[in-house]
């Protein structure tokens, strides 16, 4: 498939079937962790239209469409492969209230008229966004959201674990983020996106912000351990070219760390905590 400059900005190969499968699996995990498809305080009107920005293989959109037959769901993503996977799944299940489109969301304007949607989800996009990309995208989201509509952002920070290799890969990942201008942390110590979310929404004119944090215990004795292990098995393999191209590691070093993290995560006393922050706000008719 043709690769564009926009393709290069994602930390994984976005035309990769393993990444598409990983994101579908991760969608079920996130929904289990957050406990729902939309925040509890958001009430959608009957016949609502909702948009998933950078929807990947469409996990959230498909779940939303299955659970709410009166809601019209649209998912957009740059990956032709993931959009094809999402469309095929909808077709195979006969789900008619969801559509998926290839779209580069960094190319302004977003391809929708003003006041189109009642709810917009933007989940885990710091994997391709630079800090300077956020204000423009969020202003576009505000434009295509109807007055009274809501937007939700959900992002993660790197976890903390007892595994040497997990910690070391984290250091390399965050250094590569810093070198490629992706993180918000001035010292480059962490990704630093989560504390910025509500200010980014505020800066784009959204109001009445609310937030909810989710801690994820993926220690060896926890229910989520196996799911997170499976996610890491794929993610830590797929991220290797990004780390090597950023110049923070060699193929030899990262492969040896990869093998080590898989062993260390299987130890009985492995402990690990991750975090997600969800922030949502509303578009009122008049911005502050
Ligand atoms: C970490 S995934 C998150 C997917 C989805 N939001 C979820 O939570 O499952 C990031 C997604 O951003 C997409 N992406 C990367 N660059 C993009 C761009 N410029 N425009 C639209 N989507 C993009 C990738 O293809 C990938 O599906």
């Amino acid at each position: 498939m043709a690769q564009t400059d926009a393709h290069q900005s994602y930390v994984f190969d976005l035309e990769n079937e393993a990444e598409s499968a990983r994101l579908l699996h991760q969608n079920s995990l996130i929904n289990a962790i957050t406990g729902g498809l939309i925040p509890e305080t958001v009430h959608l009107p009957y016949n609502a239209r909702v948009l998933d920005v950078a929807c990947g293989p469409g996990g959230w959109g498909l779940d939303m469409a299955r659970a709410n037959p009166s809601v019209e769901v649209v998912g957009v993503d740059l990956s032709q492969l993931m959009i094809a996977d999402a469309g095929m799944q909808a077709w195979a299940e006969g789900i008619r209230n969801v559509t998926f489109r290839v779209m580069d969301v960094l190319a302004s304007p977003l391809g929708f008229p003003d006041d189109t949607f009642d709810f917009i989800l933007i989940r885990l996009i710091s994997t391709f966004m630079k800090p300077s990309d956020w204000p423009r995208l969020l202003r576009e989201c505000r434009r295509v959201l109807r007055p009274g509509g809501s937007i939700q952002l959900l992002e993660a920070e790197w976890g903390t674990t007892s595994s040497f290799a997990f910690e070391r890969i984290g250091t390399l990942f965050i250094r590569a983020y810093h070198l490629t201008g992706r993180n918000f942390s001035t010292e480059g110590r962490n990704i630093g996106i989560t504390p910025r979310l509500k200010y980014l929404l505020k800066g784009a004119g959204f109001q009445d912000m609310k937030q909810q944090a989710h801690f994820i215990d993926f220690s060896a004795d926890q229910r989520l351990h196996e799911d997170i292990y499976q996610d890491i098995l794929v993610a830590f393999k797929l991220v290797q070219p990004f780390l090597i191209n950023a110049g923070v590691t060699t193929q030899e070093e990262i492969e040896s760390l990869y093998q080590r993290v898989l062993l260390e995560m299987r130890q009985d006393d492995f402990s690990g905590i991750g975090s997600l922050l969800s922030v949502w706000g509303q578009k009122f008719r008049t911005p502050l």
Side-chain angles (χ1 to χ4, degrees):
M1 265 167 211
Q3 297 277 312
T4 62
D5 283 353
H7 278 76
Q8 310 304 327
S9 64
Y10 188 42
V11 298
F12 302 115
D13 173 9
L14 54 79
E15 302 295 357
N16 182 308
E17 199 52 76
E19 173 61 354
S20 182
R22 183 186 76 83
L23 289 175
L24 261 192
H25 174 250
Q26 190 186 64
N27 169 66
S28 314
L29 251 175
I30 294 175
N31 292 343
I33 291 163
T34 57
L37 293 171
I38 57 172
E40 262 178 28
T41 61
V42 172
H43 302 289
L44 294 179
Y46 187 76
N47 285 345
R49 296 192 79 194
V50 307
L51 172 67
D52 185 2
V53 171
C55 63
W60 181 86
L62 290 160
D63 287 346
M64 193 69 191
R66 286 183 197 106
N68 303 280
S70 74
V71 168
E72 190 186 331
V73 185
V74 181
V76 296
D77 196 280
L78 185 62
S79 165
Q80 295 173 39
L81 177 137
M82 293 192 210
I83 289 297
D85 284 353
M88 277 190 289
Q89 190 61 36
W91 177 83
E93 287 186 47
I95 306 173
R96 295 186 193 284
N97 57 327
V98 65
T99 51
F100 296 101
R101 279 167 57 178
V102 173
M103 190 181 287
D104 178 0
V105 301
L106 293 179
S108 224
L110 275 184
F112 301 103
D114 295 1
D115 302 345
T116 303
F117 297 102
D118 299 283
F119 179 74
I120 298 178
L121 173 71
I122 309 188
R123 211 170 65 174
L124 300 175
I125 65 163
S126 69
T127 41
F128 70 87
M129 295 283 280
K130 295 194 167 157
S132 58
D133 294 326
W134 283 89
R136 194 163 33 110
L137 175 60
L138 292 179
R139 275 198 306 273
E140 271 303 291
C141 287
R142 190 173 186 286
R143 178 182 68 75
V144 302
L145 199 60
R146 288 186 185 137
S150 298
I151 184 168
Q152 180 188 14
L153 308 181
L154 184 137
E155 292 290 336
E157 296 289 338
W158 195 268
T160 302
T161 73
S162 58
S163 154
F164 166 84
F166 190 102
E167 297 301 293
R168 178 83 191 126
I169 294 172
T171 302
L172 297 174
F173 184 78
I174 290 161
R175 192 177 300 154
Y177 247 51
H178 200 55
L179 288 172
T180 54
R182 284 160 210 273
N183 64 5
F184 281 81
S185 145
T186 51
E187 282 291 306
R189 274 196 311 116
N190 44 42
I191 298 169
I193 175 65
T194 51
R196 297 303 309 158
L197 292 176
K198 68 169 178 273
Y199 297 99
L200 289 167
L201 284 181
K202 192 171 174 202
F206 292 101
Q207 290 164 253
D208 194 24
M209 258 68 81
K210 298 187 170 53
Q211 59 182 24
Q212 189 172 10
H214 303 273
F215 281 95
I216 309 157
D217 186 345
F218 58 103
S219 304
D221 61 352
Q222 294 295 306
R223 193 175 42 87
L224 288 178
H225 177 77
E226 187 58 33
D227 281 319
I228 303 276
Y229 176 87
Q230 294 301 330
D231 187 78
I232 282 170
L233 188 67
V234 180
F236 282 18
K237 188 72 164 175
L238 290 177
V239 81
Q240 293 183 10
F242 167 66
L243 301 180
I244 295 165
N245 291 336
V248 298
T249 188
T250 60
Q251 176 67 57
E252 205 177 15
E253 182 194 31
I254 194 63
E255 184 56 30
S256 134
L257 286 168
Y258 174 72
Q259 296 301 335
R260 186 165 170 182
V261 81
L262 300 182
L263 290 175
E264 289 177 344
M265 282 189 74
R266 286 308 200 200
Q267 287 168 0
D268 288 346
D269 61 350
F270 168 79
S271 51
I273 299 275
S275 62
L276 292 173
L277 186 70
S278 167
V279 179
W280 61 101
Q282 255 190 298
K283 170 177 173 178
F284 291 153
R285 204 163 286 279
T286 325
L288 275 182

